[in-house]
Amino acid sequence: MPLTPAEMDALMDRHFAFEMTDDVDGVLATLAPDAQHDIVGAPDGPTTGHTQTRPTYEQVFADLAGERVETLHRYYGQNCLTDESLWIGRAVGSPLGIHGHNRPLRFRILHVMEFDDDGLITRENVWLDHNAITAQLTNDQPLTQRTDPKGTEQ
């Protein structure tokens, strides 16, 4: 039986909670054993399965210390979800190859997820706002105002 939007919300919230605490095993527990994972544009490309995906999360957690994720929009289909969120945290490593110097960082992130009927993620595609990340890490004054996609301060 297909998942309801409420069930998919709970799965995403659980997945994000593991990400915010740098819990690689927890994140992998939300993925099906043969899940496809793709941070679009990442140098290592897409991965399949827990063994291939683990190093990706280990690197992400070495580069970024998440504080919270604020959901902006979610769109639902049959066992699939598109999530647009605002990621808030610190650049503790070198995200995108840029030394973070523990700077505060916030950027929009888009997830396109597919789930199996048991509630595991079978596909995770992730797009990061590379321009916002680069601007904040190469500027002496990190962005502190949240703006919507049209550039209006909120």
Side-chain angles (χ1 to χ4, degrees):
M1 175 174 267
L3 301 175
T4 66
E7 290 170 323
M8 287 186 273
D9 282 344
L11 292 167
M12 286 299 294
D13 293 344
R14 183 171 169 243
H15 183 79
F16 286 158
F18 288 130
E19 288 184 343
M20 291 301 104
T21 59
D22 297 346
D23 184 343
V24 175
D25 290 327
V27 170
L28 293 176
T30 66
L31 303 177
D34 60 347
Q36 297 177 350
H37 186 270
D38 184 11
I39 300 176
V40 176
D44 295 338
T47 60
T48 301
H50 292 185
T51 301
Q52 286 185 8
T53 303
R54 176 181 291 279
T56 300
Y57 275 105
E58 289 171 343
Q59 185 61 55
V60 167
F61 296 159
D63 288 336
L64 299 169
E67 295 170 9
R68 68 183 186 278
V69 174
E70 295 178 4
T71 299
L72 303 176
H73 303 283
R74 282 192 176 158
Y75 304 96
Y76 305 91
Q78 185 169 334
N79 280 8
C80 62
L81 169 142
T82 301
D83 172 273
E84 179 189 358
S85 292
L86 180 67
W87 186 96
I88 300 164
R90 302 192 78 74
V92 295
S94 296
L96 306 181
I98 304 167
H99 293 294
H101 302 290
N102 201 35
R103 288 187 181 124
L105 189 60
R106 49 195 307 137
F107 56 88
R108 288 187 312 144
I109 184 169
L110 182 74
H111 286 85
V112 178
M113 312 291 270
E114 294 177 16
F115 304 93
D116 64 19
D117 287 343
D118 296 322
L120 293 175
I121 298 165
T122 58
R123 183 174 187 82
E124 178 178 11
N125 290 86
V126 183
W127 285 264
L128 309 173
D129 186 344
H130 287 233
N131 289 340
I133 295 168
T134 300
Q136 292 171 76
L137 296 181
T138 58
N139 186 340
D140 289 336
Q141 296 183 358
L143 300 177
T144 57
Q145 292 288 341
R146 179 176 141 200
T147 56
D148 67 19
K150 296 177 185 174
T152 308
E153 287 187 8
Q154 297 184 359

